[in-house]
């Protein structure tokens, strides 16, 4: 997990050297760049190759927190390569490239960069098989003062955003390089090993141990792959649409456990509704995990993980709507760079408005006006730009709340017919890939036939409270027309408390960027 404020100076310097080498000797194989060029995280991802598939085969012993195994990466080169980088922080015992032993070392300037030099240079457009063998104690591995691996009383969980793969499998760790996954994890019989996709089978190869075998058949960003090992109660069923539905609950949730079940078990219902808004559900399985180890929620592909704080006041389908919406916005269509975070969080937050309206707990208009008026004009909230919040504000409340208001402003500007056509066309055209905010704006203008530059500039990129509310009313009129309670105070829509709780928890912990243990301090 690279901290949000990390400049990545070492990675940038190395990357510049790689670029200069490639430029001055373009005919010769050159090192792949140690970063994908992301403006927020220069060291994230790598250059020179494209991954198609990860085959992850591990053994984990909760008693000692020992993780060992191999990851096989199937990739294609995008340039001639003398060496390549993998994002990985654990201790490596061997690397083979195309079956031949390869040299490997950690970048001394970045502990999460594994530099691999094949026995022979790789040609451009060459199919490559990379096998990395490793063993370590992940909870003791710290990168930039943080770890994404959380040891629990019965196992461990690795769930985080924007980075988590470095603690359990080597990867090209950026959303622009998505791949399919096979994940096989052997654990003691008393615990479960839960991850993404479909549970293909469970096998026993030695006494006292069970191997859980999972498969994800749709392209998946590396940070959306998770692993949860522990004494979970695992429930399996089939959705009305015929998909496998698997949920897992940590008994340590205690009195909050029924509320968690009353929320997560409604995932197929929420999914069915959102499919009417966004288009067909893009994946092969559904589910959720209720964790007692984290204080946030994360939209891991096919199976979101929810922290314990969301159930403290009872059931909460608002957070389920938020995370399920991410299966479309963030998972199927991933961001092109981390500054495009609005494409994930703005639409997932707006899905809570749509869900609220569908169950009669407040219309999208009511919620948008109430939210707009809940932040005074001089609040620092309005100084954050959801379209480019900066790495230090990537998961700020404004990205969620002002992000949702932006979506509603678009809806009111273009009308419902064009609005939902935009969302569904976006999903159909970009399924399984990544995209940027300018691409979304261009599609919105094309479908609606309206110039929308000013709208997006105002709501996404201009500090300060917009003069007009998302429904198009002057701010003074908007404040005067918000529904009032008997005592004259603004009347909260019924769903407001759940939405407020959801956004407060997601923003506080960075929607998956809870730092776990940082510099010896528990968060």
């Amino acid at each position: 997990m690279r901290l949000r404020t990390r400049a990545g100076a070492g990675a940038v310097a190395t990357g510049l050297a790689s670029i200069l080498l490639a430029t001055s000797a373009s005919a010769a194989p050159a090192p792949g760049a140690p970063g994908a060029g992301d403006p927020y995280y220069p060291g994230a991802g790598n250059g020179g190759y494209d991954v198609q598939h990860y085959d992850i085969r591990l053994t984990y012993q909760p008693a000692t927190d020992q993780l060992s195994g191999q990851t096989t990466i199937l990739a294609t080169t995008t340039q001639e390569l003398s060496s390549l980088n993998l994002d990985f922080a654990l201790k490596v015992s061997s690397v083979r490239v195309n079956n031949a032993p390869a040299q490997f070392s950690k970048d001394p300037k970045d502990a999460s960069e594994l530099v691999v030099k094949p026995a022979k240079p790789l040609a451009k457009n060459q199919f490559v098989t990379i096998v990395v063998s490793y063993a370590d104690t992940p909870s003791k591995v710290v990168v930039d003062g943080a770890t994404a691996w959380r040891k629990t009383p019965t196992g461990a969980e690795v769930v985080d955003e924007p980075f988590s793969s470095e603690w359990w499998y080597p990867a090209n760790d950026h959303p622009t390089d998505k791949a399919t996954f096979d994940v096989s994890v052997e654990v003691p019989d008393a615990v479960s090993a839960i991850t993404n996709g479909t549970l293909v089978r469970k096998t026993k190869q030695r006494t006292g141990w069970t191997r859980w075998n999972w498969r994800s058949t749709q392209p998946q960003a590396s940070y959306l792959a998770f692993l949860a090992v522990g004494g979970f109660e695992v429930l399996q069923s089939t959705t009305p649409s015929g998909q496998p539905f698997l949920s897992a609950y940590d008994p340590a949730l205690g009195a909050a456990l029924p509320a968690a079940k009353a929320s997560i078990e409604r995932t197929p219902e929420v999914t069915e509704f959102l499919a009417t808004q966004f288009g067909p559900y893009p994946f092969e399985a559904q589910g959720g995990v209720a964790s007692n180890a984290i204080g946030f929620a994360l939209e891991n592909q096919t199976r979101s993980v929810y922290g314990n704080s969301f159930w403290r006041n009872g059931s909460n389908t608002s957070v389920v709507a938020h995370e399920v919406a991410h299966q479309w916005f963030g998972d199927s269509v991933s961001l092109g760079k981390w500054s495009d975070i609005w494409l994930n969080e703005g639409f997932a937050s707006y899905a809570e408005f749509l869900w609220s309206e569908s169950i009669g707990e407040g219309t999208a208009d009511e919620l948008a006006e109430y939210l707009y008026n809940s932040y005074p004009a001089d609040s620092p909230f309005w100084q954050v730009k959801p379209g480019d919040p900066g790495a230090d504000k990537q998961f700020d409340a404004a990205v969620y709340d002002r992000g949702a208001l932006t979506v509603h402003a678009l809806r009111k500007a273009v009308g419902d017919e064009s609005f939902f056509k935009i969302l569904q066309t976006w999903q159909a055209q970009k399924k399984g890939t990544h995209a940027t905010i300018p691409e979304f704006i261009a599609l919105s203008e094309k479908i609606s036939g309206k110039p929308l530059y000013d709208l997006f500039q105002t709501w996404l990129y201009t500090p300060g409270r917009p003069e007009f509310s998302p429904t198009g009313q002057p701010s003074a009129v908007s404040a005067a027309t918000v529904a009032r309670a008997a005592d004259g105070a603004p009347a909260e829509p019924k769903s407001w408390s759940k939405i407020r709780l959801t956004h407060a928890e997601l923003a506080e912990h960075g929607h998956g960027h809870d730092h776990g243990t940082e510099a010896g301090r528990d968060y």
Side-chain angles (χ1 to χ4, degrees), residues 363-508:
T363 68
D365 273 350
E366 291 169 344
L367 286 162
E369 290 299 298
Y370 190 86
L371 177 55
Y372 173 80
N373 284 287
S374 69
Y375 288 102
D378 61 354
S379 170
F381 167 88
W382 296 109
Q383 298 305 309
V384 178
K385 300 176 292 183
D388 189 8
D392 61 327
K393 297 286 187 181
Q394 186 179 348
F395 302 105
D396 189 86
V399 175
Y400 298 85
D401 288 347
R402 187 170 177 173
L405 296 182
T406 304
V407 179
H408 195 65
L410 171 65
R411 179 181 179 180
K412 302 306 288 189
V414 303
D416 277 11
E417 182 177 354
S418 290
F419 175 73
F420 288 105
K421 185 177 180 181
I422 290 167
L423 302 193
Q424 293 173 19
T425 302
W426 178 253
Q427 290 299 320
Q429 291 183 355
K430 299 291 186 179
K431 180 181 178 180
T433 64
H434 58 273
T436 64
I437 292 175
E439 290 177 285
F440 182 82
I441 295 173
L443 179 67
S444 299
E445 291 185 326
K446 179 180 179 181
I447 289 177
S448 68
K450 295 185 176 184
L452 298 170
Y453 174 84
D454 288 346
L455 182 150
F456 285 107
Q457 192 67 27
T458 296
W459 282 97
L460 289 182
Y461 299 107
T462 304
R465 186 161 106 166
E467 180 182 355
F468 293 88
S469 78
T471 62
Q473 300 184 81
S475 58
V477 174
S478 174
T481 56
V482 169
R484 301 281 165 174
D487 60 1
E492 289 187 3
K494 290 181 180 179
S495 60
W496 176 253
S497 63
K498 297 297 186 185
I499 291 175
R500 182 77 275 143
L501 170 65
T502 295
H503 290 193
E505 293 298 325
L506 295 178
E508 178 183 353

Side-chain angles (χ1 to χ4, degrees), residues 117-285:
K117 185 177 181 180
K120 295 180 180 179
L122 303 176
K124 184 178 181 180
N125 297 324
Q126 179 179 350
F127 175 75
V128 180
T129 301
I130 305 167
V131 180
V132 182
S133 301
Y134 49 96
D136 211 337
T137 307
S139 62
K140 295 182 179 180
V141 176
V142 176
V143 178
D144 294 329
T147 177
W149 184 278
R150 295 168 181 82
K151 184 73 181 73
T152 69
T154 60
E157 296 176 24
V158 55
V159 181
D160 231 307
E161 180 184 21
F163 307 107
S164 64
S165 62
E166 285 94 330
W167 281 266
W168 67 293
Y169 72 97
N172 189 13
D173 193 14
H174 194 269
T176 53
D177 193 1
K178 301 164 80 168
T180 55
F181 283 73
D182 280 317
V183 179
S184 174
V185 184
E186 184 186 45
V187 293
D189 290 343
V191 298
S192 306
I194 312 297
T195 185
N196 315 76
T198 301
L199 180 60
V200 178
R201 66 189 182 279
K202 291 193 291 182
T203 57
K204 289 184 68 65
Q205 297 161 312
R206 56 176 172 151
T207 302
W209 293 77
T210 299
R211 182 168 289 279
W212 297 63
N213 301 277
W214 299 83
R215 174 164 289 169
S216 297
T217 62
Q218 298 298 310
Q220 177 173 283
S222 50
Y223 81 95
L224 295 172
F226 80 100
L227 178 62
V229 175
F232 294 100
E233 176 188 359
V234 179
L235 304 179
Q236 290 182 264
S237 61
T238 303
T239 70
S241 63
Q243 292 188 323
F245 178 69
L246 185 145
S247 52
Y249 299 91
D250 188 340
L253 286 167
L257 184 57
K261 288 183 177 179
S263 307
I264 296 173
E265 291 302 310
R266 294 181 67 183
T267 295
E269 176 192 353
V270 175
T271 302
E272 184 179 294
F273 165 71
L274 290 178
T276 68
Q277 311 294 295
F278 304 150
Y281 178 67
F283 301 120
E284 72 275 22

Side-chain angles (χ1 to χ4, degrees), residues 20-104:
L20 290 172
L21 177 59
T23 302
S24 60
S26 57
D38 193 278
Y40 285 6
Y41 307 104
N46 303 287
Y49 63 96
D50 176 67
V51 178
Q52 285 84 51
H53 184 74
Y54 293 97
D55 186 277
I56 304 169
R57 186 175 178 85
L58 305 172
T59 294
Y60 177 65
Q61 173 55 272
T64 59
D65 197 33
Q66 284 292 305
L67 182 75
S68 62
Q70 293 182 327
T71 291
T72 301
I73 300 171
L74 307 182
T76 302
T77 59
T78 58
Q79 67 176 72
E80 293 183 80
L81 286 172
S82 59
S83 66
L84 58 88
N85 279 32
L86 295 168
D87 298 306
F88 194 49
L90 303 188
K91 293 178 182 177
V92 174
S93 58
S94 70
V95 179
R96 299 179 73 94
V97 177
N98 293 338
N99 293 300
Q103 298 179 29
F104 63 93

